[in-house]
Amino acid sequence: MVLPTTVERAQRLKQLHAQDQPLVLPTVWDVWSARTAVAAGFPALTIGSHPLADSRGADDHEGQTFEEVLAAVGPIIAAVDVPVSVDLEAGYGQKPADLVAGLIEVGGVGLNIEDTVHSDGGRVRGTDEHANYVAGLRTAADDAGVPVWVNGRTDLFMHAKDPSDVLDEAIERLRALVEAGADSVYPVGIQDDDGLLTAVTGAVSVPVNSTAHPVRHDLDRFRRLGVRRITYGPLLQLAMTDTMKDVLKPWAP
């Protein structure tokens, strides 16, 4: 079997996003979970920073170096023949060009980039700063000749005491990310709020990514709310943890 090239995988990921139904990207963390998701019929995957860190006994929030992340995700990407996106947190202190170069080197064709810089005290990038970083990613991918899918994430809702208070600011930030070259946007922390999700999906022209729980949430609901991309964050791994506990419980001493 001839495996697709990195460029072909990137083009395939772009095509999948163009479909009218939400693109569900199971969030995986190792070769086993990646192969299992592909065997279940999914045409693309994402590797989450939180489940990846948990699987390696490391801390999320940039508790691993960029080099360690690349070493961990490379075998996962190589183990499947579908496009794989990688959650690269806030960039691990890397310049955009170096982040994209490392991703492409291990075969990744998409990335998630957030505005909470955990390696710098957990500060949140300003709107222009985050947009400029995304613009650097877009330029680096274009220069490399690989149409890397950039998912621009904001944590404003998650940090706010009342998420509705930051709706206007969040929409301004998401629009700035689109203008900078983000292919999709990811407002974290509003997956259970119909009103906020609808407001966001109606305010931007690109696919909006929502976190989902594979058991507790409903795909049709996200479709009705205009969500066009779904990832699980750490919630698939947590669901598997709950299932494993239930399976093992009768055997425990």
Side-chain angles (χ1 to χ4, degrees):
M1 179 179 63
V2 178
L3 294 177
T5 67
T6 301
V7 171
E8 289 171 340
R9 290 191 187 202
Q11 292 171 338
R12 177 57 178 156
L13 186 59
K14 183 176 182 178
Q15 292 168 354
L16 290 168
H17 279 94
Q19 296 176 357
D20 291 334
Q21 59 187 14
L23 174 62
V24 179
L25 300 173
T27 305
V28 301
W29 55 90
D30 60 11
V31 168
W32 168 80
S33 57
R35 286 177 171 167
T36 300
V38 172
F42 289 92
L45 308 172
T46 185
I47 299 172
S49 66
H50 190 159
L52 180 71
D54 276 358
S55 74
R56 291 168 52 79
D59 292 327
D60 191 25
H61 300 162
E62 300 192 347
Q64 301 179 86
T65 66
F66 183 47
E67 291 73 22
E68 288 171 336
V69 170
L70 292 181
V73 303
I76 303 172
I77 295 169
V80 294
D81 61 357
V82 302
V84 180
S85 181
V86 182
D87 178 0
L88 294 178
E89 305 205 57
Y92 304 98
Q94 301 292 311
K95 296 178 180 178
D98 294 334
L99 200 73
V100 169
L103 176 72
I104 292 174
E105 185 176 359
V106 296
V109 295
L111 63 88
N112 184 75
I113 194 76
E114 66 187 66
D115 52 7
T116 302
V117 189
H118 296 284
S119 61
D120 191 10
R123 71 177 184 88
V124 179
R125 289 184 178 126
T127 295
D128 290 342
E129 181 187 8
H130 197 39
N132 288 338
Y133 196 89
V134 166
L137 296 171
R138 178 81 283 142
T139 297
D142 291 346
D143 289 346
V146 180
V148 172
W149 188 274
V150 177
N151 190 42
R153 166 176 158 169
T154 182
D155 294 344
L156 288 181
F157 290 114
M158 185 174 63
H159 291 308
K161 185 175 181 180
D162 183 348
S164 62
D165 289 343
V166 298
L167 176 60
D168 291 342
E169 181 183 358
I171 287 176
E172 177 187 4
R173 176 164 299 205
L174 295 173
R175 285 174 170 168
L177 296 179
V178 175
E179 183 69 21
D183 299 291
S184 58
V185 292
Y186 189 8
V188 173
I190 60 172
Q191 61 266 20
D192 293 313
D193 192 311
D194 288 16
L196 290 178
L197 270 177
T198 301
V200 171
T201 59
V204 296
S205 57
V206 301
V208 172
N209 190 131
S210 179
T211 309
H213 190 288
V215 178
R216 299 170 189 164
H217 283 133
D218 177 67
L219 180 59
D220 286 338
R221 168 180 167 268
F222 286 115
R223 183 180 293 113
R224 291 194 303 271
L225 296 176
V227 172
R228 291 171 53 195
R229 171 179 159 129
I230 293 171
T231 53
Y232 296 133
L235 300 182
L236 174 60
Q237 190 181 60
L238 290 175
M240 295 295 294
T241 300
D242 291 339
T243 299
M244 184 173 177
K245 288 178 180 178
D246 289 341
V247 170
L248 291 177
K249 189 175 181 179
W251 296 83

